[in-house]
Amino acid sequence: QDYQKLAYVDAIQNLEKAVQSGKLSKENIPSTYQMIADSYYNNAMYDEAKSWYYKIYAEYPNHQDQKYLIRYAITQKSNQNYIYADELLKEAQVTLPNDSRIKKTLNNPNYLQQINHRKDNFVLEQVNFNSVFSSGVILPAFTFCSKLSKTFDK
């Protein structure tokens, strides 16, 4: 329920309790792992997400939703495991041959050098519209992450 409501912090707590209880049916384990991983991922908690994506990858290699491989690769990149991340993308490309994210990354093997070359083109500035409950950064696009639980009083 929390996951569908995008209340990822609460979803993490409840789904991890369900996993720890050992009461999940075998059919529900991979999708529960993915919801936990995606919840961490959607809150930019990539280390935590990486461990749950790994569980899917290692324990359920035939999991139907292969899109988790892309997110698993991104979490690996966030930990500077670039070669392994690219290997994961190549694996994902087998079942997702038209995915533009995979194509763009794999067709440009020198993307790290290009990023490093461009990093001086950005200026980070304090924005005046943040509150104590929000944070973000403006680059070519706006990124927002929230760790508020559903019990936040408005």
Side-chain angles (χ1 to χ4, degrees):
Q1 248 181 348
D2 295 322
Y3 183 82
Q4 280 77 23
K5 292 179 184 176
L6 310 180
Y8 296 123
V9 172
D10 295 322
I12 290 166
Q13 293 171 352
N14 294 327
L15 292 168
E16 284 184 341
K17 282 180 190 174
V19 169
Q20 291 170 356
S21 76
K23 295 180 181 177
L24 291 173
S25 67
K26 289 189 182 225
E27 304 85 44
N28 290 334
I29 293 173
S31 60
T32 302
Y33 284 5
Q34 185 164 348
M35 285 189 285
I36 295 170
D38 289 346
S39 294
Y40 279 122
Y41 182 92
N42 290 331
N43 275 297
M45 300 170 76
Y46 298 123
D47 282 338
E48 293 86 350
K50 181 181 71 167
S51 66
W52 286 97
Y53 287 129
Y54 174 76
K55 286 177 182 269
I56 301 167
Y57 184 75
E59 298 173 25
Y60 301 94
N62 297 321
H63 179 53
Q64 291 179 348
D65 188 353
Q66 293 292 300
K67 292 178 186 172
Y68 82 90
L69 276 174
I70 296 170
R71 288 190 171 191
Y72 183 35
I74 292 169
T75 64
Q76 290 294 338
K77 285 179 187 258
S78 76
N79 285 284
Q80 299 180 347
N81 297 325
Y82 303 113
I83 294 171
Y84 183 56
D86 287 347
E87 289 172 12
L88 290 168
L89 289 175
K90 287 175 187 172
E91 186 176 333
Q93 191 174 37
V94 172
T95 55
L96 301 167
N98 297 319
D99 191 288
S100 62
R101 298 165 294 181
I102 297 171
K103 284 181 180 180
K104 189 171 185 174
T105 302
L106 295 180
N107 290 336
N108 186 8
N110 297 322
Y111 65 90
L112 288 176
Q113 291 84 355
Q114 292 174 349
I115 291 169
N116 284 330
H117 178 70
R118 291 178 49 189
K119 70 182 176 184
D120 295 333
N121 293 336
F122 299 99
V123 176
L124 297 179
E125 295 179 6
Q126 183 69 32
V127 292
N128 61 3
F129 53 83
N130 279 357
S131 72
V132 295
F133 301 111
S134 67
S135 63
V137 87
I138 297 178
L139 292 170
F142 182 76
T143 303
F144 175 79
C145 295
S146 174
K147 292 187 180 183
L148 295 177
S149 70
K150 68 180 179 186
T151 57
F152 171 68
D153 293 314
K154 295 181 181 175

